[in-house]
Amino acid sequence: LNRTRGLEVTSKQIIIVSGTQQALDLLSRVLLDSRDPVLFEEPGYPGARAAFMGGGTTLVPVPVDHEGMNLDALSTAQLDARAAYITPAHQFPLCVTMSLPRRLALLEWAEACNAWIIEDDYDGDYRFGGKPLSALASIDTSERVIYVGTFSKVLFPGLRIGFVVMPNELAARFASARGYMDRQSPILEQATLAAFMAGGHYD
């Protein structure tokens, strides 16, 4: 994560989950209360929509243009949300990359509103040319971004292993909720993936 996505994190901040869908379901339960407003890309990822709606939150659709999610399109009342869900590296389904000014505006909004940004980096490793862009979380100085990643897009869909990088203040709480759900992801698959990565094959 440090080398490829620009993140400075400790192992205590990383929680292994059974794919992105479980991550989003857990986040909707841990971070949000019923009817809490969540800014959501429009159009956006149906799986995330289902996870947040299943948690009882209220989705606030935010238009996406060639620079990504456009907060300027919202009213002041609509901006009073508890969280925002985004796919900034490769927006789903329009495939645009969120511009730096939009990223900075989103971070400024989160800090001002004491809100969370859920960054779903589902395929940030893929680029047609050059190195992958750094994650939004890499320029977050206020620990407002929760970074969600998965191995299923790069390796294969049946590998239900993903991860969440939590801000320090939330890590223990999220890990506890993860444990209550199903204790842990399968150990054999995790050990195999760790050996695969340690051998340089993932790169």
Side-chain angles (χ1 to χ4, degrees), residues 16 33 43 48 51 62 82-83 91 129 136 141 158 160 196 198:
I16 304 299
D33 293 323
V62 186
R82 187 77 184 95
Q91 199 274 337
L136 174 69
T141 58
R160 303 307 303 155
F196 183 80

Side-chain angles (χ1 to χ4, degrees), residues 26-202:
L26 274 168
L27 288 169
S28 71
R29 297 167 189 263
V30 172
L31 291 181
L32 306 166
D33 293 323
S34 179
R35 299 182 183 174
D36 273 352
V38 176
L39 303 185
F40 193 85
E41 296 171 324
E42 183 60 43
Y45 174 48
R49 187 188 305 275
F52 290 117
M53 291 183 69
T57 63
T58 301
L59 296 183
V60 179
V62 186
V64 174
D65 60 22
H66 65 284
E67 291 189 77
M69 178 184 273
N70 184 8
L71 295 182
D72 291 338
L74 299 182
S75 67
T76 302
Q78 288 175 311
L79 285 170
D80 187 22
R82 187 77 184 95
Y85 169 82
I86 58 168
T87 53
H90 198 216
Q91 199 274 337
F92 186 98
L94 299 182
C95 303
V96 299
T97 298
M98 181 178 276
S99 68
L100 181 58
R102 292 278 176 87
R103 292 174 185 235
L104 294 174
L106 190 62
L107 289 170
E108 185 179 339
W109 164 81
E111 186 172 4
C113 296
N114 195 32
W116 301 105
I117 299 170
I118 300 169
E119 177 180 12
D120 183 352
D121 198 25
Y122 69 98
D123 70 347
D125 288 319
Y126 287 123
R127 296 284 291 171
F128 288 112
K131 295 181 178 179
L133 298 174
S134 294
L136 174 69
S138 70
I139 58 173
D140 171 27
T141 58
S142 302
E143 290 205 317
R144 307 310 305 172
V145 178
I146 297 163
Y147 180 89
V148 179
T150 179
F151 294 100
S152 66
K153 299 293 186 294
V154 174
L155 296 176
F156 56 95
L159 182 66
R160 303 307 303 155
I161 297 180
F163 58 92
V164 183
V165 179
M166 297 295 294
N168 284 294
E169 68 172 284
L170 294 175
R173 184 171 149 202
F174 188 86
S176 178
R178 169 72 180 91
Y180 284 127
M181 177 169 275
D182 64 353
R183 303 307 301 170
Q184 64 201 22
S185 296
I187 296 296
L188 180 60
E189 284 87 340
Q190 289 187 71
T192 304
L193 178 57
F196 183 80
M197 295 175 76
H201 307 298
Y202 188 78

Side-chain angles (χ1 to χ4, degrees), residues 3-44:
R3 179 171 51 82
T4 64
R5 310 304 293 128
L7 303 184
E8 293 186 15
V9 298
T10 67
S11 59
K12 291 181 180 179
Q13 293 175 260
I14 301 173
I15 292 93
I16 304 299
V17 291
S18 298
T20 298
Q21 202 62 33
Q22 184 183 50
L24 297 176
D25 178 65
L26 274 168
L27 288 169
S28 71
R29 297 167 189 263
V30 172
L31 291 181
L32 306 166
D33 293 323
S34 179
R35 299 182 183 174
D36 273 352
V38 176
L39 303 185
F40 193 85
E41 296 171 324
E42 183 60 43

